[in-house]
Amino acid sequence: MEKKDLDWANLSFSYMPTDYSYVCNWKDGAWEEGGLTADHSVTLSECAGILHYCQECFEGLKAYTTEDGRITCFRPDLNAERMYNTAERLCMPPFPKEKFVEAVKQVVKANEAWVPPFGSGATLYIRPLMFATGIVIGVKPADEYQFRILVTPVGPYYKGGAVPISICVSEYDRAAPRGTGNIKAGLNYAMSLQANVEAHRNGFSENLYLDSQSRTYVEEAGGANIIFVNREGTLVVPQSHTDSILPSITRRSLVVVARDILGMKVDERPVKFSEVENGDFVEAGLCGTAAVISPVGRITKGDEVIEISGMEAAGPVMTKLRETLTGIQAGEIEGPEGWVVTID
């Protein structure tokens, strides 16, 4: 199929309506068959549960055009699993995992003309979401829900792509201990908006959050996990004492890439911010579906400015990790079995 006539190389990370979305409703205790729709609008009662008690969750993954013309997705089974777990935590009916993957395939296939061409630097972003549509006035779970998938072609999440960014340590907390930090719920992101606006106003690309219990351990950024490289070349991946870090699919994939493909040592453990302040790390990067890896050149905490790898260029390890993972996603490098799913 012929691709849409777009300036693929200069797309921003923003919404552009495509031909079809996918929609499926949960009613009377069961999910309906579901299918494609050309209607990108949603009609709700003013008393819908999503509007009052924030029963909503979402996912994010991408579709790619490979050099040989195939359209692929990256590890959609893990998105299905994470959304299933998130729905359970929010007392929502989990969307079946196999049905999730098939829905992704169906909506990407229907919008294949919108999947950016190989080498353009753009991708088709896939956003599955679920929310309470049933009427509810008392504090309780709703009895009806809608699952949707929208797709839109996008460019880099952070301006500049792989150019180092500057981030700041937020004065706000992202998630409470034993709260909802480890699920992908919209309510987590709503709480980060003010911090995000303030960071941008002050010239930073993103916030870095510390643990809310002691404010001494690194957790993650507002829209991505963070990873480090120490002076010995070890990939250091922050873990949480209170299970409040989102289990990023990109981060988990990068751990496998580093350890099993690049032969690096990987250390997954709680990371004290004092290690950052002491200069223990020579590289850092924000990683997630949208960003892949955005190298972090500088971290600011109040009046303290900590140079990591500088603002000139990405460090060699982050560069190699990014090139390897995007090579697997684009079909240029053979990755572990099952990571790349072809859309037939």
Side-chain angles (χ1 to χ4, degrees):
M1 177 178 289
E2 185 177 349
K3 301 290 186 182
K4 296 291 182 178
D5 184 19
L6 299 177
D7 185 6
W8 300 107
N10 292 302
L11 291 180
S12 62
F13 196 91
S14 57
Y15 174 67
M16 181 185 301
T18 53
D19 294 334
Y20 296 100
S21 292
Y22 177 93
V23 62
C24 185
N25 293 294
W26 192 85
K27 187 176 182 180
D28 299 326
W31 288 103
E32 66 182 18
E33 178 64 24
L36 298 173
T37 177
D39 185 359
H40 302 303
S41 62
V42 176
T43 301
L44 294 170
S45 164
E46 64 183 356
C47 207
I50 174 60
L51 302 178
H52 300 270
Y53 305 122
C54 295
Q55 276 187 290
E56 184 274 347
C57 60
F58 68 98
E59 278 296 324
L61 61 158
K62 290 179 177 179
Y64 313 82
T65 301
T66 62
E67 190 170 12
D68 60 8
R70 292 178 298 122
I71 294 176
T72 62
C73 285
F74 185 70
R75 309 191 77 179
D77 57 314
L78 294 190
N79 293 96
E81 179 182 21
R82 189 169 63 182
M83 190 173 213
Y84 193 100
N85 295 337
T86 297
E88 287 190 318
R89 176 65 175 82
L90 297 177
C91 295
M92 302 168 72
F95 198 73
K97 298 174 188 176
E98 291 186 2
K99 190 177 180 73
F100 179 105
V101 175
E102 288 306 312
V104 167
K105 291 180 178 179
Q106 187 176 351
V107 73
V108 172
K109 178 67 176 177
N111 290 286
E112 60 181 315
W114 294 91
V115 183
F118 176 80
S120 65
T123 54
L124 184 75
Y125 188 71
I126 306 164
R127 170 56 62 83
L129 64 155
M130 187 197 308
F131 50 91
T133 56
I135 292 174
V136 55
I137 194 70
V139 181
K140 63 179 182 179
D143 58 5
E144 295 182 8
Y145 298 84
Q146 186 170 108
F147 171 86
R148 298 181 71 92
I149 304 177
L150 66 87
V151 299
T152 186
V154 297
Y157 185 69
Y158 294 109
K159 188 176 181 180
V163 175
I165 60 174
S166 177
I167 66 175
C168 63
V169 175
S170 178
E171 294 296 322
Y172 299 93
D173 292 330
R174 175 186 165 270
R178 294 167 292 279
T180 57
N182 64 340
I183 63 170
K184 201 167 179 66
L187 56 90
N188 293 337
Y189 296 82
M191 292 189 296
S192 74
L193 292 178
Q194 183 173 349
N196 198 43
V197 168
E198 290 180 8
H200 288 171
R201 183 187 302 135
N202 292 322
F204 300 103
S205 296
E206 181 60 279
N207 286 288
L208 177 65
Y209 291 95
L210 305 181
D211 74 290
S212 58
Q213 193 165 45
S214 70
R215 292 194 61 80
T216 58
Y217 289 93
V218 172
E219 290 221 321
E220 63 172 283
N225 283 181
I226 189 167
I227 55 178
F228 298 98
V229 178
N230 67 17
R231 293 186 178 280
E232 290 70 46
T234 298
L235 182 68
V236 180
V237 182
Q239 301 289 286
S240 171
H241 286 297
T242 56
D243 197 25
S244 54
I245 295 177
L246 185 72
S248 163
I249 293 164
T250 302
R251 184 203 74 208
R252 285 180 279 170
S253 301
L254 286 168
V255 166
V256 176
V257 167
R259 184 186 60 227
D260 299 342
I261 298 178
L262 300 181
M264 293 176 58
K265 182 180 178 181
V266 178
D267 190 8
E268 298 182 81
R269 60 172 176 82
V271 174
K272 288 188 175 182
F273 188 72
S274 59
E275 298 177 63
V276 180
E277 294 176 302
N278 293 339
D280 293 353
F281 303 119
V282 295
E283 292 187 48
L286 302 187
C287 60
T289 296
V292 187
I293 297 181
S294 286
V296 175
R298 181 182 300 137
I299 300 175
T300 298
K301 183 184 181 186
D303 295 330
E304 181 183 18
V305 179
I306 305 160
E307 294 289 336
I308 305 295
S309 58
M311 302 299 292
E312 296 301 318
V317 177
M318 292 299 158
T319 298
K320 188 63 176 177
L321 284 170
R322 180 187 176 93
E323 288 177 349
T324 305
L325 185 60
T326 56
I328 292 171
Q329 292 170 335
E332 299 174 288
I333 298 172
E334 185 175 354
E337 184 176 356
W339 276 23
V340 175
V341 176
T342 299
I343 307 299
D344 297 317

